[in-house]
Amino acid sequence: VKTCEVALPLPWIHPLREVVKHANDLLLVRYQKKLSSSVSAQSCFLSTYGGTSHVSLDDVFTEVQLELHHSSSGVHQPLDLEDVVGSVGTVNKDADTVLVSGEAGSGKSTLLQRLHLLWAQRAALRDFVLLFPFSCRGLNLEHRELCVQELLFQHCCWPDREQEEIFQFILDHPHLILFTFDGLDELKEGFVDELRVCCPTQRAPVHVLLFNLIQGTQLKGVMKVVTSRPGAVGPGLKKHLRKEVLLKGFSPSGIDCFVRKHHSDSAVAAKVLESLQANTALLGLCHSPVLCWIVSQCHKELLSCGEGSPQTVTDVYLMILQHFFQHHSTSKGTTGAGWLQEHLRTVLHLGQLASEGITSSCCVFSGADLETCGITEKDVCMGFLVQSKDVSPGNSKRYEFLHVTMQCFFAALYIVLSGDTDCSTVPKLFELQDVTETGLSSTCLRACLPSADQQGGHLEEHTTAAEAPNLQITATFVSGLLSQRHKRSWQRCCSKAAVERKVRQVTRCLSKGMQKHFRSIPRPVPGEKKSMHAMPGFVWLIKCIYEMQESRIAKDAMSKLEVDHLKLTYCNIGPMECTALAYVLQHIKSPVGLQLDNNSVGDVGVEQLLPCVHVCNSLYLRNNNITDEGIRRLTAKVVHCDNFQKIALFNNRLTDASTLHISHLLKAKQSFLSLRLGNNNITAEGAKRLAEGLRRNHSLKFLGLWGNKIGDAGAEAIAGALENSKSLVWLSLVGNGVGNAGARALSGIVRNSLSLEELWLTQNCITRAGVEYLIQALKHNTHMKSVWLKNNDLSSEEVEEVKLIEPRLIF
């Protein structure tokens, strides 16, 4: 036993002592070593979109942005990898399941793979003695009924002997065990809350076991980490979650790091990064790790395309399509769409396989599936299909596309290029919004499959959690492939009339889809502005319009949007979506308030929004990971926009440096009405800079600086700038460490301002002496409505005393 302890890093000694104490001899220690070896072998090479090349995960892994879901109130800072299973952000202490949610291509599988490798290397997750990794894609292949013990040992790592004793240890010490389930959205079966299987030896279908593990009915106390796309997890499942972690792709520094890791030649990396900085639309796309990988993989094509550099997701995927094919082309000098004509048969056969898979929620294919679609070994060698690690019970070879988005891309190519597709295929594909918002069943891709009639009995009868988002991605690619920029290329490969018909169909579908959203806008309450709270399908339609690169469609759509306020909160909007939003929203006829709170806009997203800020009279960007650089770019633009009057930036990453730019905005715009900078990192120095702008501004009505660190010195600077303001109505300095000196200075505003109605000083350090300054000031101001002073340094007796003296003091 001592030998085993010495061979392991110190943090592992305590868990293994417990292991050895409760297991016969060293059986469990040996199994732990075998499991670690198995997990390490599966994790050491990049398994997502890596093709057949052996790329060390340690060499290329780049941290992604992790944040807690908004329900974890009060915690806004970025998370580390180990925080995924840590206690930070816990909202349900009785639950054992952590959900990591992110869009397709955001890096969910790679993140889990990294966690697995760190555990196997004993570099992280040291409190867990055993880790069992599962792929939901692989579990789809399991059609037998199993018990939990069989699920663990047959799908992860088989103990050499005494498996009963090892399983008993798992039952007795669940807090030392970690399960991971990758891709819950790819599971064919939907979540059912009523199917209970409590006994660990009772056999049941695999999806039933999985749901019972997530709920805690089975193996209560075992930590589970589940990944999924956001829309696939409904409230029925979310109530069983310990917490939800949002995965938001690469930060700008993450893109830089990934590109430099991907290219051993630093000169090439520098050129790629230079090209990205010159094309902000492409830079926005690269926040998605899978797109960043494609761009890095196709660096030669990227650096040679000049002004034709990719702008849309479709452009990027066409670039990798050309990259792979030209590496296998018989005529290396092929130009234009010649490479596609040469490989058209391969595209159609892979497209048929992709379409059939999406229709049946299948991402893993057998050799027979490939043969049915006419796919040869030569086609497989092109690199779009790779051998799956999810081994079927029969151990036969299985294949999958490089990434699920690549499967969607080939399905879209098939819809555009195949002569076998039904006329109703495109309209049905874009009717998906009815599926996602009303739960109706869908058969939208079946019409384009030649064997649909014969296979009808074998296909799923309802749209599953996996099918709907994949169909949306496919529809987005169809829009891009039928754009003005690309449709001429397809006319060499199929009927021009057929292509034009599909273009008209997509245009009509996008227009109808937008009109449907506009019709759903409720009538405004009397006295309030007309507001539209966008449904999830709205952002998808916007992205489709952008992919099509048809300003005419955008203009037509926006000519019918008549609202004063457009709310797009919690819509998973990152830089990529910001590009699409700006492309469409810039055509709005009347000024609008744009609310993008609780998304992933970031600095690059802010820059992408600049083309549409001239139509915004207000911009709400709460909790969007924006830094001083984003504010520099934003203020430089909006200072010249006549309509722009309000901005809300609380819960971001702003420091004193941002106040220099905001102060310039205040000086330059005498029509500016509202500035909210709460919960950032602004100190007294920043407050002094803001004061310079406030002193010269004569229009500001609302100023929110709550949750910063301005202290007395900052409060004195703000008070000095606003003491004679004739416009300020509302001022909040909540939670800023303001004491009596600050209260004394602020009493000058209370005494002299002819406009101020509310002053918020909650959660500060003001004592009875400081409150006295405010009481005396209020005697000279009859129109002031309230001064909020809850949670300051007053005793309960003092609170009651001052409330009697001045009822406008609110505690």
Side-chain angles (χ1 to χ4, degrees), residues 148-219:
V148 173
Q149 180 176 334
E150 292 167 334
L151 178 70
L152 297 183
F153 296 152
Q154 292 183 20
H155 277 265
C156 291
C157 180
W158 188 273
D160 292 327
R161 50 184 172 164
E162 308 296 346
Q163 60 174 286
E164 295 297 333
E165 285 79 357
I166 293 172
F167 187 64
Q168 189 59 49
F169 173 81
I170 294 171
L171 296 177
D172 293 341
H173 302 88
H175 62 287
L176 297 177
I177 315 301
L178 175 65
F179 295 166
T180 66
F181 295 93
D182 188 27
L184 187 67
D185 53 299
E186 294 183 345
L187 202 67
K188 287 187 177 183
E189 304 292 338
F191 174 72
V192 180
D193 204 10
E194 290 78 23
L195 299 175
R196 293 284 189 266
V197 178
C198 303
C199 178
T201 59
Q202 180 182 348
R203 286 188 171 89
V206 169
H207 72 278
V208 174
L209 293 182
L210 173 55
F211 297 150
N212 279 269
L213 286 168
I214 291 174
Q215 291 167 309
T217 309
Q218 285 271 18
L219 300 188

Side-chain angles (χ1 to χ4, degrees), residues 220-525:
K220 180 68 176 174
V222 170
M223 181 66 74
K224 280 85 63 176
V225 178
V226 179
T227 69
S228 174
R229 280 181 266 189
V233 180
L237 190 55
K238 284 194 175 185
K239 68 182 180 182
H240 298 291
L241 298 180
R242 186 176 182 86
K243 62 182 174 184
E244 182 176 357
V245 175
L246 307 178
L247 193 157
K248 299 193 170 185
F250 288 148
S251 64
S253 60
I255 295 173
D256 187 287
C257 180
F258 181 86
V259 172
R260 293 186 188 281
K261 282 185 174 183
H262 191 90
H263 297 286
S264 56
D265 188 333
S266 59
V268 171
K271 288 181 181 178
V272 172
L273 290 169
E274 183 182 350
S275 180
L276 291 179
Q277 293 297 332
N279 182 345
T280 57
L282 184 58
L283 182 62
L285 296 180
C286 285
H287 282 260
S288 167
V290 67
L291 296 178
C292 196
W293 173 79
I294 292 175
V295 168
S296 298
Q297 191 81 358
C298 304
H299 65 278
K300 291 180 180 177
E301 290 85 352
L302 174 68
L303 297 176
S304 65
C305 58
E307 292 184 2
S309 183
Q311 298 286 319
T312 68
V313 179
T314 307
D315 292 345
V316 173
Y317 276 77
L318 282 170
M319 186 169 66
I320 198 171
L321 186 75
Q322 186 172 358
H323 171 84
F324 275 47
F325 279 148
Q326 289 192 334
H327 277 68
H328 294 86
S329 179
T330 55
S331 50
K332 298 296 182 183
T334 303
T335 58
W339 57 272
L340 180 62
Q341 287 177 286
E342 182 180 343
H343 298 286
L344 181 60
R345 187 197 62 82
T346 299
V347 169
L348 292 175
H349 289 176
L350 289 172
Q352 182 181 343
L353 181 73
S355 298
E356 291 183 359
I358 289 176
T359 303
S360 57
S361 301
C362 178
C363 296
V364 181
F365 306 96
S366 66
D369 293 330
L370 270 62
E371 187 176 342
T372 299
C373 293
I375 296 171
T376 65
E377 186 65 31
K378 183 179 177 182
D379 296 331
V380 174
C381 289
M382 290 291 178
F384 300 108
L385 287 174
V386 294
Q387 195 167 334
S388 174
K389 289 186 177 182
D390 299 320
V391 181
S392 64
N395 291 322
S396 59
K397 278 188 179 181
R398 296 272 176 164
Y399 299 89
E400 59 189 5
F401 284 87
L402 276 175
H403 192 266
V404 67
T405 54
M406 185 65 70
Q407 182 175 347
C408 296
F409 178 63
F410 270 98
L413 280 168
Y414 188 74
I415 291 171
V416 170
L417 298 177
S418 174
D420 295 327
T421 54
D422 189 274
C423 290
S424 63
T425 299
V426 169
K428 285 181 178 177
L429 186 64
F430 282 88
E431 286 169 8
L432 177 63
Q433 55 185 315
D434 295 325
V435 177
T436 57
E437 290 165 19
T438 66
L440 299 176
S441 63
S442 168
T443 56
C444 58
L445 276 188
R446 295 177 193 172
C448 71
L449 301 177
S451 54
D453 293 336
Q454 291 78 14
Q455 295 179 356
H458 303 289
L459 296 176
E460 297 292 327
E461 291 301 323
H462 298 283
T463 302
T464 67
E467 185 181 348
N470 288 342
L471 289 173
Q472 281 194 333
I473 296 170
T474 303
T476 307
F477 279 130
V478 167
S479 301
L481 292 170
L482 292 172
S483 67
Q484 196 71 31
R485 183 174 180 177
H486 297 303
K487 69 177 184 180
R488 293 188 186 90
S489 301
W490 318 135
Q491 292 171 4
R492 301 185 185 183
C493 305
C494 57
S495 162
K496 179 180 178 180
V499 171
E500 291 294 343
R501 170 174 56 82
K502 291 169 185 174
V503 170
R504 289 192 298 272
Q505 286 180 321
V506 172
T507 302
R508 204 158 41 239
C509 289
L510 294 177
S511 179
K512 286 174 61 178
M514 295 297 281
Q515 288 176 35
K516 177 187 173 183
H517 282 281
F518 300 157
R519 285 195 299 270
S520 70
I521 302 172
R523 292 180 178 274
V525 176

Side-chain angles (χ1 to χ4, degrees), residues 521-594:
I521 302 172
R523 292 180 178 274
V525 176
E528 293 187 4
K529 293 183 176 181
K530 189 175 183 181
S531 178
M532 172 184 171
H533 193 158
M535 299 295 287
F538 180 76
V539 178
W540 167 57
L541 288 171
I542 292 277
K543 290 166 71 174
C544 288
I545 292 172
Y546 175 72
E547 288 293 314
M548 218 172 176
Q549 290 287 289
E550 281 281 0
S551 58
R552 177 176 53 83
I553 301 177
K555 288 177 182 177
D556 180 64
M558 291 301 99
S559 69
K560 298 177 177 64
L561 178 61
E562 297 178 356
V563 293
D564 299 300
H565 191 84
L566 181 58
K567 191 173 182 180
L568 290 158
T569 57
Y570 300 112
C571 285
N572 297 307
I573 291 174
M576 187 189 314
E577 289 74 21
C578 288
T579 306
L581 280 171
Y583 181 82
V584 175
L585 296 182
Q586 63 181 313
H587 299 294
I588 290 179
K589 295 186 298 182
S590 303
V592 66
L594 181 59

